[in-house]
Every structure is written in structure tokens, then in C-alpha cells.
Amino acid sequence: MTSLMEKVAVVTIAATMPLVVATSASAEGEKYVLISHAPDSDSWWNTVKNGIALAGEQMDVEVEYRNPPTGDVADMARIIEQAVASGPNGIITTLADFDVLQGPIEDAVASGIDVIIMNTGTPEQAREVGALMYVGQPEYDAGVAAGMRAKDDGVTTFLCVNHAIQQPTVGERCRGFADGLGVELGDSMLDSGTDPSEIKNKVLAYLSSHPETDGILTLGPVSAGPTMQALNENGMAGDLYFGTFDLGDEIVEGIKSGVIQWGIDQQPFLQAYLPVVILTNYHRYGVLPGNNINSGPGFVTADGLTKVEEFAGEYR
């Protein structure tokens, strides 16, 4: 754990005062709320919860994580409104659907609450709603980088398994991947849903009806695991080029076994940890980074799994 904290300190040194002195300026009742679009069933967000909890402990502030249990973005908008009414010092939120969430976020800013956008959305959208900054991985740009990598490796046609079709920003990964490959997206983006059995069956059906497919992209652990099961079932595991967004235990095992070529690490720990540190130091000392922070994309392959495997699902 010591080595992990040393790494975090290096990453955040430009944006923070030394954490050891932060408690001396602690104000009574400092509170920050992180609101995500994630359903309760998505374990990938455990790393985000760990990030905000550790930042709260180190900065000596109260932190709270909230989300819509089913992933419903309209429900998320109501949660933002409720958070604003509670009067926290700052709100950290994803921007999963700009049209739905713009109003509540702008209302938070208008009420005097400092906001940082994390994970989903773009720096441009963060600026438009009046947020201080954006901390995350620009989804389209990450998709383009993944597509260019796949193109260099010989991929020409692909399937993108989208388990979060209701969140427009997630689909930008698929669109970016197609542009990186230099092909039309067409019907290559599959609305898989989140049920593991349905995902597996839909992937099997697509590959059966599109035998020319030579690459596959999943958008996180929710779809990666069932897709691996599909490839094991139809005998294509290890033969079909397979990349995925995000990390997790199953994805790490897939990379180790050679079924998955790479996973994109957007470092969700930093997406939660850094905003708490930044907001706290901004309120205490008036310091604020001058730029948005891109936490990804970083490609994790079998050659770089040591730390990832050690902390997968916890800090990676």
C-alpha cells in the first residue's frame, strides 16, 4: 500500500499541498458528494468508491457516494438536485447524458456549489455547465486510440458490445473505435443489455451472422466477461482480436490467458481521488490546476500486469 500512495502523491503533487498539512486547515463540516450514473450491479465502480473514501480520509473531509440503483439517468438528475439541496462544499459528478443532466448541474453551480465533472462527458461540456474542470478519459479520443491500435494489428471489421446504450457518452467509444479503424460504424455497435446470459447469446448470434468479423471491443467488465464466455463457447477464444475498455478480475485473467489483447485503463481511482483533493485545496488555499486532467487512456497488456493484477478491482 505504501508504494501505491507514493505513486498517487507523485501524480497529484502539482495540484495539491502536501497531504500531511491539509488537516491543519480543515474546516468544520467540509463535505463533498460524488454522484455517478452507475447501477448497483456494476462492480467496476468499487474502485471509484475506494478512491473517494481514501481521499476523504487523507484530506480529513466528509465524502459521500451516491448513484441511481438501476443506472437510470433521470433518477441521477434527481439525486443531483437532492445533493444540491443538502448544501455540500462541492459536487463531483459524471455527465453521462448532457441533455438530462445539464440543468441540475448548472443549478448546482448557480447555487454556489463548486462542481467537477469526472469519468464521463468532455472538457468542453464541463466548461459549458460551469464546472471547475474535467477529470477523466475523453471517451471518443480513447476509442480512436483503440481503433488505431487495432488497425495497426490488422483488424478491418469489428463488433462493439455496448452494455450501456442508454448513456450516449459510452457509445462514443464505439464511434471513436470505428473512426480509428477508418470504417463506418454501421450496425457494428450491439445493444447488449446488462444481463450476462443475454450478452453472451447476442454476441454469439452476431458473430454467427457476421462471419467476416475479425475484431471485438467490449466497453467494460459487464460485457467483457459474457463475451469471453461466448468466444469460449464458439471456439473463437484466442483467435478473434479482442480489446476492452476498463479492467477487472475477469479482464485481467483474459489478458493473461491471451483471449484479450489489451484492456484500456482509465484509472477510475484517480477520477474519484483527485477531485476531492483538488476541491479541498481549492477551498482551503485557493489553488486550482489550470488544465483538465486526462486519466487515460492507457493500454494494459500481458507485459504490464504485475501492479494491475495486485490491485485489480480495488485501486486499478
Side-chain angles (χ1 to χ4, degrees):
M1 184 64 69
T2 301
S3 63
L4 176 65
M5 288 299 92
E6 289 172 352
K7 282 189 174 184
V8 170
V10 170
V11 173
T12 60
I13 191 168
T16 67
M17 297 290 287
L19 298 180
V20 293
V21 303
T23 56
S24 66
S26 177
E28 184 83 23
E30 285 179 291
K31 180 177 180 179
Y32 301 100
V33 181
L34 191 156
I35 305 163
S36 88
H37 58 271
D40 289 342
S41 59
D42 193 341
S43 61
W44 183 85
W45 290 82
N46 289 340
T47 303
V48 169
K49 296 173 187 176
N50 289 339
I52 189 177
L54 184 60
E57 177 184 337
Q58 291 184 342
M59 302 307 291
D60 192 24
V61 297
E62 182 182 352
V63 294
E64 181 181 356
Y65 175 90
R66 301 193 63 189
N67 67 295
T70 64
D72 181 75
V73 181
D75 190 17
M76 180 186 172
R78 289 188 288 273
I79 292 173
I80 294 175
E81 292 168 353
Q82 292 166 358
V84 171
S86 71
N89 297 84
I91 288 176
I92 305 153
T93 181
T94 64
L95 191 45
D97 188 320
F98 186 83
D99 292 338
V100 176
L101 301 177
Q102 177 184 9
I105 294 173
E106 288 179 342
D107 289 344
V109 174
S111 72
I113 297 173
D114 290 315
V115 175
I116 289 180
I117 303 299
M118 58 85 71
N119 181 261
T120 52
T122 66
E124 293 75 21
Q125 289 175 335
R127 188 184 312 112
E128 186 170 345
V129 297
L132 292 176
M133 63 187 304
Y134 169 84
V135 179
Q137 171 181 267
E139 304 289 22
Y140 175 80
D141 293 344
V144 170
M148 293 175 66
R149 187 183 183 105
K151 182 179 181 179
D152 289 343
D153 290 338
V155 174
T156 58
T157 59
F158 75 102
L159 165 65
C160 182
V161 187
N162 187 345
H163 63 271
I165 202 78
Q166 75 279 9
Q167 296 160 16
T169 54
V170 176
E172 290 299 299
R173 297 175 173 182
C174 300
R175 281 179 275 277
F177 191 79
D179 288 347
L181 276 180
V183 301
E184 294 294 327
L185 178 60
D187 65 350
S188 296
M189 183 165 65
L190 176 68
D191 177 5
S192 68
T194 59
D195 180 80
S197 295
E198 285 190 18
I199 294 172
K200 185 190 76 170
N201 291 333
K202 287 181 178 181
V203 169
L204 286 170
Y206 184 94
L207 294 177
S208 177
S209 61
H210 297 77
E212 75 284 359
T213 302
D214 57 12
I216 194 162
L217 178 72
T218 57
L219 303 187
V222 171
S223 50
T227 297
M228 282 191 283
Q229 293 174 13
L231 298 182
N232 284 325
E233 187 170 314
N234 69 6
M236 299 178 72
D239 294 329
L240 189 69
Y241 188 92
F242 187 170
T244 185
F245 275 77
D246 301 332
L247 297 174
D249 292 338
E250 280 188 287
I251 290 173
V252 168
E253 288 303 314
I255 295 173
K256 286 177 64 178
S257 68
V259 174
I260 297 177
Q261 276 64 48
W262 41 259
I264 293 180
D265 183 13
Q266 61 174 298
Q267 302 188 97
F269 173 84
L270 291 181
Q271 292 177 3
Y273 179 90
L274 289 178
V276 175
V277 173
I278 290 168
L279 283 170
T280 303
N281 283 306
Y282 179 53
H283 292 147
R284 291 176 182 175
Y285 312 115
V287 295
L288 187 70
N291 295 305
N292 299 294
I293 298 175
N294 286 351
S295 63
F299 291 87
V300 176
T301 65
D303 295 330
L305 280 178
T306 303
K307 280 293 183 185
V308 172
E309 189 171 16
E310 182 180 356
F311 294 112
E314 187 178 6
Y315 296 103
R316 296 296 301 271

